[in-house]
Amino acid sequence: MHPEMALDMADDFAEAQEMVNAGETDVAVDELRWLVSECRDAIEAHYLLGEIAFEALDFRLARGHFGYAVELGWSALPAAGVGGKLSYTLPANKAFLQSAKGLAYCLGELKKPKTAVAVARELASWDAADPLGAAMLIDKWSTKPDDSA
């Protein structure tokens, strides 16, 4: 369940998404930063800011936005876990799950494959259908040395 303030901003988020789709990323970033300043819990805004940063190859900034979105999602989960019950088919779960995938990719790009695999394993545990290809990410980074030292 998203915070009420984040739900109230759905039209603003949709507008920012349209800006990104139209190639107006600078304006979209301004709009998304405003959304985040008004509601730090807007997972969709952090996800889209992460996507924009990822496309610009700014993996550290993207990791920050994706990571924050994942933290927000984790904080909403029951302490006992969900046992593979976060279906990607539910619209409310998409930005959270996509943020986890984005975070794993950023960690891989930042030469932190062990952490990337851990995030991908968590992602795989949430939806057994694996619609975002977490198993492929685990395979991709399981054999790479971790340069995080």
Side-chain angles (χ1 to χ4, degrees), residues 23 27 47 49 73 97 116 120 129 134 139-140 149:
V27 179
Y47 165 70
L49 283 165
L97 296 173
D139 289 344
K140 177 179 181 175

Side-chain angles (χ1 to χ4, degrees), residues 50-87:
E51 280 292 312
I52 292 168
F54 191 89
E55 289 295 319
L57 305 180
D58 188 342
F59 302 118
R60 290 188 188 285
L61 180 58
R63 178 184 66 177
H65 285 294
F66 290 141
Y68 192 76
V70 169
E71 289 286 329
L72 289 171
W74 272 332
S75 71
L77 297 176
V82 294
K85 298 178 185 168
L86 283 177
S87 175

